[in-house]
């Protein structure tokens, strides 16, 4: 099978795969991750809320730059999305049921907690009642870390009857800087022998930062897909840089 550019589908898949796995597709967020880790370890709160604009890369930040750098002597559990039953991934391997993990000293990260508010009212109430009772009764040994989209932050006010402390410790996660995205895209394009003009690069990054344009996180997969589309739009035999008119 040939694509419109005369390149086989298998070759396309190979190029896309190499882009996704490229080290250049990973944006260095070590400094941001370190700040999150320091905040978690220094906070006296039992519930900590991290929030940021949808698509700012919260999940990528926690998975790559936070969870691996938490102290090795801590039990660390992670849920990629709130669901019932709530099953947690345990750092180092294995799984644990949420309520079982709460009895241990450690850290529990509930990512994409905005999904909690999509559950039926009776499900939300039952969860909050049990959580409140355990916290109040000293039967909650872990620190609970909630990660959610800034657009859902106001929804947390609705749980204060059960968790009055839920908004006492909040931490905003910023978006990936334009400079870092530009650097990653330019490097990925260079891997494929493509030069990209500054004006085109700026336009792409500006579009990524527009509110409501896309809620996809700035991830290696997204950067690889963007680079792949740039590569597909240019014949590999062309010498001209990818410009604003090509975007």
């Amino acid at each position: 099978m040939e694509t419109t550019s005369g390149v086989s589908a298998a070759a396309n898949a190979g190029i896309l795969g190499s882009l996704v796995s490229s080290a250049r597709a990973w944006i260095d967020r070590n400094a941001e991750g370190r700040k999150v880790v320091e905040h978690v370890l220094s906070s006296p709160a039992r519930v900590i809320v991290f929030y940021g604009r949808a698509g700012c890369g919260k999940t990528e930040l926690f998975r790559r730059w936070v969870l691996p750098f938490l102290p090795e002597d801590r039990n660390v559990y992670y849920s990629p999305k709130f669901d019932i039953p709530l099953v947690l991934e345990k750092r180092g391997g294995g799984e644990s049921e949420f309520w079982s993990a709460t009895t241990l000293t450690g850290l529990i990260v509930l990512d994409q907690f905005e999904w909690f508010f999509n559950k039926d009212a009776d499900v939300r109430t039952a969860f909050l009642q049990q959580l409140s009772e355990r916290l109040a009764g000293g039967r909650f040994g872990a620190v609970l870390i909630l990660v959610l989209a800034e657009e859902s932050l106001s929804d947390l006010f609705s749980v204060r009857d059960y968790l009055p402390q839920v908004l006492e410790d909040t931490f905003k996660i910023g978006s990936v800087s334009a400079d870092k995205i530009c650097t990653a895209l330019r490097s990925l394009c260079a891997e494929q022998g493509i030069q990209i003009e500054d004006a085109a690069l700026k336009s792409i990054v500006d579009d990524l930062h527009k509110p409501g344009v896309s809620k996809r996180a700035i991830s290696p997969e997204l950067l690889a897909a963007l680079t792949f589309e740039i590569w597909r739009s240019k014949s590999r035999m062309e010498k001209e840089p990818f410009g604003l008119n090509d975007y």
Side-chain angles (χ1 to χ4, degrees):
M1 177 180 176
E2 297 288 322
T3 65
T4 55
S5 62
V7 181
S8 70
N12 278 340
I15 290 169
L16 183 56
S18 69
L19 287 167
V20 171
S21 61
S22 172
R24 292 179 173 87
W26 291 96
I27 292 178
D28 185 356
R29 302 185 73 181
N30 179 59
E32 298 164 80
R34 189 166 59 249
K35 288 180 181 178
V36 171
V37 170
E38 290 172 354
H39 186 84
V40 168
L41 297 181
S42 63
S43 175
R46 304 299 298 170
V47 180
I48 307 173
V49 175
F50 289 89
Y51 66 97
R53 181 180 63 81
C56 74
K58 299 180 293 297
T59 294
E60 202 71 51
L61 178 67
F62 267 84
R63 278 193 174 278
R64 185 169 176 83
W65 301 106
V66 175
L67 299 182
F69 296 97
L70 291 168
E72 293 183 0
D73 61 349
R74 300 284 185 96
N75 293 303
V76 177
Y77 300 90
Y78 174 81
S79 169
K81 186 177 80 171
F82 187 89
D83 207 351
I84 297 294
L86 188 51
V87 179
L88 309 175
E89 301 170 6
K90 184 176 181 180
R91 183 175 64 176
E95 294 181 338
S96 175
E97 189 268 335
F98 175 75
W99 297 114
S100 297
T102 64
T103 63
L104 304 174
T105 301
L107 303 163
I108 298 176
V109 179
L110 301 185
D111 199 356
Q112 296 193 69
F113 191 71
E114 57 266 28
W115 284 86
F116 170 81
F117 301 104
N118 294 333
K119 300 299 179 184
D120 292 339
D122 57 340
V123 172
R124 299 198 307 269
T125 299
F127 179 83
L128 291 172
Q129 283 179 336
Q130 188 167 356
L131 183 58
S132 176
E133 291 170 3
R134 288 182 177 239
L135 284 166
R139 294 184 293 120
F140 198 99
V143 172
L144 182 61
I145 299 170
L146 307 179
V147 184
L148 76 164
E150 185 172 7
E151 295 82 350
S152 299
L153 187 62
S154 60
D155 291 328
L156 287 178
F157 283 97
S158 67
V159 310
R160 289 195 299 173
D161 287 344
Y162 297 97
L163 300 176
Q165 71 274 55
V166 70
L167 290 170
E168 290 179 0
D169 189 346
T170 61
F171 186 108
K172 183 172 183 177
I173 295 173
S175 300
V176 180
S177 72
D179 286 345
K180 287 187 176 182
I181 299 174
C182 285
T183 298
L185 280 174
R186 193 186 298 280
S187 296
L188 286 169
C189 285
E191 275 191 357
Q192 303 303 319
I194 300 170
Q195 291 184 322
I196 182 167
E197 293 179 353
D198 290 343
L201 198 56
K202 182 179 184 302
S203 184
I204 293 171
V205 174
D206 286 347
D207 283 347
L208 289 175
H209 280 144
K210 283 181 180 177
V213 170
S214 172
K215 292 188 177 181
R216 291 185 63 188
I218 305 299
S219 64
E221 292 78 12
L222 177 59
L223 295 177
L226 285 170
T227 306
F228 180 71
E229 290 303 320
I230 292 170
W231 175 84
R232 283 211 310 175
S233 72
K234 301 291 288 182
S235 166
R236 289 178 297 170
M237 300 304 293
E238 291 182 2
K239 302 297 184 182
E240 296 81 7
F242 181 87
L244 196 56
N245 291 335
D246 300 307
Y247 177 45

